[in-house]
Amino acid sequence: MRGWVTEGQMGLTRGAQTMPAPRKYPLELRERAVRMYRTAEPKPVIRRMAEELGVHHEALRNWIRQAEADTGERDDILTTVEREELAALRKENAQLKRANEVLRTASAFFAAQLDPTRPR
């Protein structure tokens, strides 16, 4: 039948259900590492501290930058709350775009059904 949407096609309109990737390092390690860096005087070299903790130096650097943004010490990157809000808004935007496409397709289908003389 022309114009009908199959079940497989409906799966495409709903979007994929995905799970976040598992974290490589536990949150406790992350919090402890950031706390250790922030309380140390003088500030340790991040690469050396990362080696001692057994984490990648760029991961530690990113954790420190994010903690500084969350406490308001940095304005150049988004806070964790802002990142979560942005992700939620992007997800909602994608859902609305999918819904609009479904409505547009359904509208065209029903318009063709109501007015068979209309060229396709």
Side-chain angles (χ1 to χ4, degrees):
M1 291 183 180
R2 188 172 185 196
W4 290 98
V5 178
T6 66
E7 190 173 331
Q9 291 169 325
M10 282 302 290
L12 295 175
T13 60
R14 279 190 236 128
Q17 297 290 332
T18 59
M19 292 180 54
R23 293 186 182 268
K24 186 172 182 177
Y25 304 110
L27 289 175
E28 296 81 23
L29 174 62
R30 176 181 177 157
E31 292 168 358
R32 185 174 56 114
V34 170
R35 190 172 49 251
M36 285 173 55
Y37 177 82
R38 293 177 63 112
T39 58
E41 283 299 328
K43 296 293 182 212
V45 175
I46 291 177
R47 187 177 293 264
R48 189 170 306 130
M49 184 178 173
E51 287 174 7
E52 292 171 2
L53 294 172
V55 300
H56 193 271
H57 64 276
E58 285 302 317
L60 179 58
R61 187 181 320 280
N62 289 335
W63 298 342
I64 293 167
R65 290 180 64 210
Q66 190 63 53
E68 290 171 348
D70 290 344
T71 58
E73 298 171 27
R74 293 183 77 114
D75 293 332
D76 59 335
I77 59 174
L78 297 176
T79 66
T80 302
V81 173
E82 291 170 336
R83 284 180 191 271
E84 290 169 355
E85 182 181 8
L86 181 60
L89 289 172
R90 285 181 173 164
K91 184 177 180 179
E92 181 182 1
N93 192 23
Q95 290 172 344
L96 291 172
K97 284 181 179 181
R98 283 192 300 272
N100 280 341
E101 184 59 34
V102 169
L103 291 173
R104 193 175 300 116
T105 304
S107 174
F109 172 77
F110 288 119
Q113 296 294 318
L114 292 174
D115 187 8
T117 61
R118 182 173 166 249
R120 294 180 188 200

